[in-house]
Amino acid sequence: MAPSQASHTPSLATWTKSLRDQSLEASIESLIFLLKRRQVTGDECAGAIAQLLRQVVAKSKWHDVDQLLYRVQTAGARLARAAPHEPVIGNIPRPEPASSPTTSPSPARTLTSGLQVSKSMFNLLSVADPSESPVTGASTPISQAQQPFSVHALRSEVMDGIEEILDEINQADDQIASFAEIQIHPGDYVLAYQPSKTVERFLVKAASKRRFTVILASLNPPAPGEEEQPYAALRKKLNAAGVSTINLASNGLMAYIPRVNKVIFGAKAVYQNGGLLVDSGACIAAQAAHEYLKPVIALCGVYKFCPEDPSDEVSRGELGNPSSYVSYADGPELDSFEVENTTTDYIPPDLVDVYLTNLGPQTRHHLGGIYADHYKIEDIGFSLQVGE
Amino acid sequence: MAAEGYGAASPATATTQDGAKGAAPPNPAASINSPAPAANPEKLTPAQLKAKAKAEKQARRAAAKEAKSAVAAAGQPAQQSGSAGADSKGAAKGKGKQEGQQVPPKGVLVHRPSVSGRRPSIMVVEKDARSGIPECFSHIPMAKRIPTSQAHKDVHPAVLAVGQQMATFALKDSISRLKATLLAFRKVIESYETPKGNSLSRHFVPHVLNPQIEYLTECRPMCFAMGNAIRLLKAKVNKFDINTPEDEAKEGLLEWIDFLINERITLAEYVIARNAAQSINDGDTIVTYGRHRLVEKTLLRARKEGKSFNVTVLDDPYVGEGKELAKVLRHAGIPVLYSPNLGGLRSKVPAASNVFLGGEAIFANGSLHAPSGTADVAMAATNAGAKVIVLCETINFDRERVSVDALTYNEIDPERNTGDCFRLLFDNTHERYITGVITEIEFGGGNSPAQAILALLRKQEDPLIA
C-alpha cells in the first residue's frame, strides 16, 4: 500500500489535481496520508483542507443541514487526528517543520482542528438559514426540516463561504505584507527568525519601500551535504532591492539583540491567551528581544487564531527526528544518551508586543475582540463534540 | 599539552597556506611533508635546510609560483617552532634545544627581503578576511592567521607556536590560552640575556616582552585572563631593583610564573570542581550549555564521589561541543539528556536544580563573558526559577572593564565572518541572571554573586605581585 500511495500522492500538487477525479473518500484518505507524512505543510495545509471541505460539501450525500454538518465534522475530525501535532490544522495554516514521526497525539489539539472547520460551517449556515428557511436567530440548525429548503441553494451558499475562506487564506500574506512599511523604518536592523512564507513576503514588500538590514537566524545549520546558504532565494530578492542581509550562525541571540531594532517571526498558531505556537527557537529570539525591550512582532493571519488555551503539551514542544544531530558514527555512547530535538516552541503572551494580522496590528489586550468576532460560543462547544 | 602543541602547529600552517593561495588540499600537505623527507637523505643541518628552501624558493619564483614558495618559508619555521611549543612544558630539557631553535627566527630574518616582495598579495588576503564583515559589526576584532614569516623578528619561537595555535583555535578557552602563554613566556625569560649597560627590570618589558604580546594580540585578541597575567608579570618585573643580578631576577620571574600557573590555574581548577561538586545532590538535574572544562570536571568529580544525578546538555548545533561533553559524561555513567539545539529552551530549564555555566571572563560590573548562547540559557533558567551557577577562575575577572552588551567586547568567528554566515564568539550575561559564581577563593564568600567576589579580589590580589 505504501508504494502505491506514494505514487498516487507524492505531493500536494498531484493531490490537488486528483481532487476532481478521485472519489471523496480517496481524497480524504490521500490528504490524511500527506498530513501524516508531513508532506503538506504550512499555508498549503490550510488551503488543502479548505479545498477538501469544498469537496465534502459538493460530493457527499446530504439532505439537510444536520447531515451536512455531520459529514464536515467527521471529515474534519479525521484530518485533525491525522496531524494532531498541528493544533491549527483546522485553524488552517502555519509553517511546518517536516520532520518527526515521534509525536504524541493530543486530543485537545484534535478538538481545535475540527473547530475552525465547524466555525466556518456555522457561520455559513447561520447566514444561509435565515434566507432559505424561517429559522430565527439560530446558529443551531434544525433537523426536523418543517420547511422545505433547497439543498441546492444551501450547497452553493456553503460553497461560496468556503471559497471566501480560501480567498482569505490566499490573501492573508499579502494583506499582512501591506503593513510592512508601517512597521519597518529606514535604517532598521530587523531580526527575522526562520522566516516563513508570510515573513518573506512581508520583508520583500518592506524592501521595496525602505532601506534596512535583515538579520536572519535559524535554529539549525544547513545539513552537511547542503552547500546552499539558508534562505538564498529570500536573500537574493532582498539584496536585489538594496536591503542587506546577514545570516547568523548561532543559536544564542542575546549577543546580537543590542544591534537589532525589532524581531519578526511567523506564528503557527495564536492561542486565546495570546500565547503563540512557533518554530522551535523563536522563543529564544522573543526572550532576548524582551530583555532589551525591543519590539517582538508576530505575523499571523486571523485564521491562525485558535479559541482555546495552550495545553501543557504545547508548552513542552513537539519532538522531532534527532538523527541529523547524532549518527552511529558517534560510537557506542549513542545508544545510551537521550537526544531531544524540539521542533516547536510556545511563546507566552508577555513576550509578544504586536500581533500583525491581516486585519492589522493587534495587541494581546484586543485579541478578545477578534475571537468574539470570529467565533461563537456555540461553535466552540460544537467543535468539542466533533473532537470526540 | 606537549603532543597537542606539535600536532596543532602543522594544521595551522596548512591552513595559512590555504588562506594565502587557496590551493587544492593535497598541495599544502605535500609541501609540508616534502622538505623533510627530501632533506633527510642529505645532511639535515638547519643551515642546509635553509639554503635548500631558499634555492627552492628562487626556482619557484622564477616559475612565478609566488604563493607556493611562501608556503615553504612559512611552513618550515612553524614546524620547528611547533616542536619548540611541544618542548615548552619540559623546562629542564629546554636549554639544549633552545639554541637550536634560535635558528628559525634568524631564518625568518634572512628571508625577510624576499618575503617583503610578496607582502602586497598577502595583505590583500588579509583585507579580504575582514572585508566580508557586515558594517554594523565591523568594530569587533577577529583572530587572524599570520604566516610565521610575517612575524616580528623578535618574536620567540615558542610564542610563535602559541600564536599560531591561538589563531587557529587549537587553544581556545581563556585558561588554556593563558597557560600556553605563560609557558611560552617562561621560555622567553629563560633565553633572555640582558644587553650590556641595561638592567632586566628596564629592558625586558619594552624590548622583549612587548613584541611577544603584540604578536599574540595580533593572532587573536587577548583574553582577559591573559591581560591580567601580563599586567601582573609586568608589575612583577618592575618591582625588581635596577641592581638585581640578572640570574636572580630571571629565577624570581620563573618561580613566579610557576606559582601563578599552580595557584591560579591548576589548583583553582581543582578547588572549583570540588566546591561545585559539593553543591550537587543526589537526584539533581543539572543543566549545562556547550562544553566547559570546569563544568566537565565538576560533573565527573561529583560522579566519582558517588552522587547520582542527571545532566541535560544543551548545545549549539553550529558548534557541537556539547555532544562531546555528553559522550564523556555518558561514558562516566551519568544519565544524559542531550538537546542538540536551544529549541524548547524554556521547557527544558524548569526541571533543573542547578544550571552550571562556564565563563570566559567576568567584568567589573559583574556581567559574564561566555560562549555565545550562554546568556540565553542563563536568562531562560532564571526566568524559570532555576539557579544559575557560573564556574570561573579569579584570573578571569576583569576589574577595570565594564560591559553591558555583547557588542562592546567580543570576537568574530574567523570561520564565519561574512554576511552569508556570521557568528560572534561570545555574549554577555547580565549579573541579574547569575545566582552565584564559584571561584577558587575559599574564604569569606568565595561562592557568591560576582560583585562580592570582585570586592574580595580588589582587596586580595595585589599581594600576589609582591
Side-chain angles (χ1 to χ4, degrees), chain B residues 174-195:
Chain B
S174 66
I175 291 296
S176 51
R177 287 173 71 196
L178 170 66
K179 196 168 172 184
T181 307
L182 287 174
L183 289 172
F185 282 178
R186 219 178 170 284
K187 288 290 202 192
V188 175
I189 294 168
E190 273 173 4
S191 63
Y192 172 75
E193 280 172 27
T194 318

Side-chain angles (χ1 to χ4, degrees), chain B residues 218 250 313 387 418 421:
Chain B
E218 230 179 308
K250 276 167 75 174
V313 179
K387 280 184 287 179
T418 63
C421 191

Side-chain angles (χ1 to χ4, degrees), chain A residues 189 218 220 229 235 247 249 251-253 256 259 280 283-284 287 291 325 330 336 338-340 342 345 348, chain B residues 136 316-318 323 330 336 338 340-344 346-348 372 376 379-380 419-420 422-424 432-433:
Chain A
Y189 286 86
S218 62
N220 299 314
Q229 294 293 337
R235 297 184 63 209
N247 258 354
N251 264 201
L253 294 174
Y256 312 90
R259 180 63 79 195
S280 176
C283 194
I284 304 170
Q287 174 189 264
E291 162 70 10
Y325 297 100
D330 287 324
S336 46
E338 285 176 63
V339 180
E340 208 175 272
T342 314
D345 257 0
Chain B
C136 56
D316 185 336
Y318 291 94
K323 189 157 85 180
R330 189 55 236 178
V336 177
Y338 173 65
N341 53 42
L342 289 183
R346 281 175 52 93
S347 62
K348 281 166 188 157
S372 185
D376 300 88
M379 185 162 60
D420 289 337
F422 186 84
R423 180 179 174 90
L424 293 174
R432 66 174 167 274
Y433 296 118

Side-chain angles (χ1 to χ4, degrees), chain A residues 189 213 215 217-222 229-230 235 245-259 280-281 283-285 287-289 291-292 315-317 319 322 325-327 329-331 333-334 336-342 344-348 351, chain B residues 134-139 289 315-318 323-324 326-328 330-331 335-348 372-377 379-381 383 404-407 410 416 418-430 432-433:
Chain A
Y189 286 86
T213 305
I215 300 179
S218 62
L219 190 67
N220 299 314
Q229 294 293 337
R235 297 184 63 209
T245 55
I246 303 172
N247 258 354
L248 294 186
S250 175
N251 264 201
L253 294 174
M254 278 284 269
Y256 312 90
I257 291 290
R259 180 63 79 195
S280 176
C283 194
I284 304 170
Q287 174 189 264
E291 162 70 10
Y292 281 91
S315 52
R316 270 201 296 276
L319 296 184
Y325 297 100
V326 288
S327 69
D330 287 324
E333 285 86 0
L334 179 70
S336 46
F337 65 76
E338 285 176 63
V339 180
E340 208 175 272
N341 172 25
T342 314
T344 63
D345 257 0
Y346 170 71
I347 299 186
L351 296 183
Chain B
E135 172 72 24
C136 56
F137 298 113
S138 56
H139 64 292
Y289 172 69
D315 204 358
D316 185 336
Y318 291 94
K323 189 157 85 180
E324 299 309 312
K327 282 193 213 167
V328 169
R330 189 55 236 178
H331 197 68
V336 177
L337 174 64
Y338 173 65
S339 171
N341 53 42
L342 289 183
L345 181 63
R346 281 175 52 93
S347 62
K348 281 166 188 157
S372 185
T374 306
D376 300 88
V377 174
M379 185 162 60
N383 289 340
V404 288
D405 67 28
L407 300 176
N410 211 326
R416 303 183 179 104
T418 63
D420 289 337
C421 191
F422 186 84
R423 180 179 174 90
L424 293 174
L425 289 179
F426 302 107
D427 66 12
N428 192 77
T429 311
H430 195 278
R432 66 174 167 274
Y433 296 118

Side-chain angles (χ1 to χ4, degrees), chain B residues 264-327:
Chain B
R264 308 299 288 277
I265 299 177
T266 314
L267 286 177
E269 183 179 286
Y270 174 81
V271 173
I272 291 172
R274 192 191 60 195
N275 289 355
Q278 273 169 11
S279 66
I280 298 177
N281 299 314
D282 275 345
D284 274 3
T285 298
I286 308 294
V287 172
T288 184
Y289 172 69
R291 179 185 197 181
H292 191 270
R293 189 177 28 85
L294 288 176
V295 174
E296 185 176 332
K297 287 249 154 54
T298 300
L299 296 174
L300 292 177
R301 189 185 165 102
R303 174 69 195 166
K304 230 179 181 176
E305 287 169 3
K307 290 174 177 164
S308 66
F309 53 95
N310 299 308
V311 177
T312 302
V313 179
L314 305 174
D315 204 358
D316 185 336
Y318 291 94
V319 183
E321 287 179 334
K323 189 157 85 180
E324 299 309 312
L325 176 65
K327 282 193 213 167

